[in-house]
Each structure stands twice: as structure tokens, then as C-alpha cells.
Amino acid sequence: MEYVTLNNGVKMPILGYGVYQVTPEECERCVLDAIQTGYRLIDTAQAYYNEEGVGAAISKCGVPREELFLTTKIWISNAGYEKAKASIDESLRKLKTDYIDLMLIHQPIGDYYGTYRAMEEAYAAGKLRAIGVSNFYPDRFVDLSNFVKVQPAVNQVETHPFQQQKLARKYMEKYGTQIESWGPFAEGRKEIFHNPTIQAVGEKYGKTVAQTILRFLIQSGVVVIPKSTHKERMAENFNVFDFALSEEDMHTMQALDESESAFFSHYDPETVEFLVSFGK
Ligand code: NAP
């Protein structure tokens, strides 16, 4: 496993396993399979309703807690200092742990400054080893970065070959924040698993489209957390450290960037209204 070092010195695996859209019933089995495959970073969220499944798996897996890296995220309905503070303790309880390696604000919606203060406090108390944000576009990210005590260690944003986040990365680098990809496969949108350019690059190395994408992102310095409920795909997605893309192939992959979301934009007022509804 390769690691990145966050701005507070904490080491984070560059490849992890995400559990968005993994049902509460399946989550424990999936996380146990992932840990058995070799994953040590697990990415969940309050809004995924499966923190308990993650907690059950990590307490049963036999791997020492300090070898695991757990991420969860504070949902919009828990925005604001008091609610966020209580929700951190709730996540600790559900995850059956006395510390979380990385806590993120899931969305830049509602009183996220209050949420951030609660995270800073829990960070100082040793409940959180690192704190950061998710879905903070460059404008929100720059604003927050200038008014907090603890600079976000991570910003988890949609990142895949069609949305490479070049502008956002420039500002994350400026402020010392690690980029983490959500949706490395764009959840299969835009026929990504059948993209002829990615297929052609991967064939040169005897690798699948999924492996080529993950290798491209890792080689670009992006932390990735692909999701699959299938054990054989978990293994496929994990097997990306035995090859490296040439400079030419990196350029070919970089040229796929459309600098546009495959999902929705946080600059769109209708998207914001939809997200705001979770906080009411
Ligand atoms: P993703 O990882 O881009 O794609 C997952 C999809 O790809 C699933 O349908 C999965 O199907 C399929 N898949 C996985 N490996 C495959 C392979 N080797 N070959 C073919 N198909 C494959 O999407 P994601 O789950 O949205 O993103 C990853 C993680 O990022 C999430 O689990 C979550 O932890 C995080 N996330 C965060 C946010 C946020 O707002 N912060 C938003 C979205 C996601 P099967 O499961 O059927 O194998």
C-alpha cells in the first residue's frame, strides 16, 4: 500500500474502499471482504446509514484498529455546532471506536462553519485524527480555508477521467489540502467502463479499465475509494500497484478531462435547494 501524508503528519492510504449505496444489510460482509482483500481505508458517512455495519466489521476483522483508517462525514441534517458535536459522538458509537481517522463535512450547506468548529474541538480532544471537507468547490474551499484554525486536511470531491478537478486542485495545493476522489468510475456513467481510449491504454499493461482509471488517479496524487459489493472486483480494484502508466499514457488520460460534473453542479441553485431540503 502507498500512503499520502496529510498536512498534520497523519498518513492516509492512497487507496481505500467506499460504502456509498452499500445497504445496511450488506455492509458488514462487504467491509470484511474488503479488509480481507487488503483495504485498510474505509470511507462511510452518516448519510449512508451503514456506519453500524462498518463498526461491526472493524470490530470483527482481526486487524488492529491502528492499522485501519476510518473516514466518516457529517450530514447536512447535523449542520451547526451543537448538532454536529452530538453527531460526532453518535458516529463514534456506531463505528464502535474511540477515534475516527478522518471526519469530513459532507456538503457545504447550512451552518457548516458551526460544524467545522465542532470538528476542530473534537480534533483537539483526540476524537478525530484529521478533519476536512467534501464537495467544497474552489470558492467555498478558499473561503473556509481563510477562516478556520485547522486547515482542512482533505477535500473529497467528484474526480474521475472526465472531471479531473484541475482548478480545484490548484487551490487545494495552495492551501495544503489533499484531494480525495469520490466516484472514481463516475459510478459507471458516460459508458466509462467501455471507453475505447481507456481500454486501449489499459491493454498495453494487461489491465482493465477500472485498474487503469485507479492507477491514473493514484499516479496523479489523488486518494481513491472505489466501491464494489463484489469481492472479485474489490480485488481487481486493489491490484493497481504493480504497474505504472508512461508519461505518454498519462497525457492521453489527462486529455479525457471535460472539466464538468457527470452528476450535478453545486453552482446550480436547484441542486442547492435539493440539498438544503435535507437540513430542514
Ligand atoms: P464509483 O466507485 O465510481 O463506482 C461504483 C460503481 O462501479 C458500482 O456500480 C460498482 O458496481 C461498479 N464497479 C466497481 N468496480 C468495478 C469494476 N472493477 N468493474 C466494473 N464495475 C465496477 O462510485 P461511488 O460509490 O459513488 O464512489 C466511491 C466512493 O466515494 C463511495 O462509495 C463513497 O464512499 C464516496 N462518495 C462520496 C460522495 C460525497 O459526496 N462525498 C459521493 C459519492 C461517493 P458493483 O458494486 O455492483 O460492483
Side-chain angles (χ1 to χ4, degrees):
M1 179 54 62
E2 291 173 17
Y3 293 81
V4 294
T5 303
L6 302 179
N7 59 15
N8 63 354
V10 166
K11 287 202 181 327
M12 176 179 193
I14 200 159
L15 169 70
Y17 176 67
V19 295
Y20 177 45
Q21 290 170 333
V22 175
T23 61
E25 295 72 36
E26 259 203 314
C27 189
E28 181 182 331
R29 190 273 299 165
C30 285
V31 174
L32 281 170
D33 281 352
I35 292 173
Q36 210 174 53
T37 303
Y39 292 87
R40 292 296 176 263
L41 156 57
I42 309 295
D43 182 276
T44 183
Q46 294 169 352
Y48 301 168
Y49 296 104
N50 58 18
E51 285 177 310
E52 274 145 328
V54 173
I58 65 159
S59 59
K60 281 183 199 164
C61 69
V63 173
R65 173 67 186 88
E66 62 274 15
E67 287 178 25
L68 298 169
F69 189 104
L70 285 186
T71 303
T72 192
K73 315 180 192 84
I74 299 181
W75 188 231
I76 298 162
S77 53
N78 289 323
Y81 175 79
E82 290 299 340
K83 281 202 243 172
K85 186 177 167 173
S87 87
I88 292 170
D89 288 335
E90 181 77 357
S91 285
L92 284 165
R93 189 185 61 73
K94 288 182 174 166
L95 289 165
K96 296 188 176 54
T97 182
D98 50 14
Y99 68 91
I100 289 161
D101 295 276
L102 175 66
M103 184 66 112
L104 305 176
I105 298 181
H106 206 144
Q107 297 284 353
I109 301 286
D111 179 15
Y112 53 84
Y113 271 93
T115 306
Y116 206 85
R117 303 278 175 251
M119 293 204 308
E120 285 179 327
E121 204 175 275
Y123 175 69
K127 292 179 184 180
L128 311 175
R129 289 180 71 225
I131 59 176
V133 293
S134 179
N135 296 304
F136 276 55
Y137 284 19
D139 56 330
R140 293 294 90 225
F141 172 73
V142 170
D143 176 34
L144 187 85
S145 295
N146 278 285
F147 293 100
V148 290
K149 281 192 252 157
V150 180
Q151 174 62 26
V154 168
N155 188 5
Q156 185 183 111
V157 290
E158 176 191 347
T159 311
H160 46 73
F162 306 130
Q163 168 51 301
Q164 297 183 21
Q165 298 287 8
K166 286 186 184 139
L167 179 69
R169 289 196 67 178
K170 187 173 141 194
Y171 284 96
M172 288 187 222
E173 273 159 31
K174 179 172 176 185
Y175 287 89
T177 297
Q178 172 66 46
I179 182 171
E180 181 176 23
S181 148
W182 67 252
F185 307 137
E187 291 180 14
R189 289 178 187 210
K190 293 180 172 257
E191 295 285 315
I192 199 167
F193 290 114
H194 305 286
N195 182 282
T197 304
I198 307 176
Q199 262 166 350
V201 169
E203 272 164 20
K204 294 191 199 174
Y205 304 87
K207 292 290 180 179
T208 65
V209 165
Q211 290 169 326
T212 308
I213 292 170
L214 295 174
R215 183 68 219 176
F216 166 63
L217 293 172
I218 289 171
Q219 236 172 282
S220 310
V222 178
V223 173
V224 289
I225 43 168
K227 169 262 178 187
S228 176
T229 53
H230 298 93
K231 202 174 177 189
E232 65 281 6
R233 285 181 177 168
M234 292 179 197
E236 176 186 335
N237 297 344
F238 194 75
N239 187 12
V240 293
F241 295 105
D242 60 350
F243 75 116
L245 298 178
S246 68
E247 211 177 305
E248 189 194 343
D249 290 329
M250 287 296 284
H251 288 312
T252 303
M253 294 294 288
Q254 279 158 4
L256 293 171
D257 189 23
E258 297 169 4
S259 296
E260 208 177 80
S261 172
F263 296 82
F264 43 72
S265 167
H266 283 62
Y267 293 135
D268 172 11
E270 282 184 20
T271 298
V272 175
E273 279 186 337
F274 170 70
L275 291 170
V276 163
S277 69
F278 290 101
K280 294 206 163 158

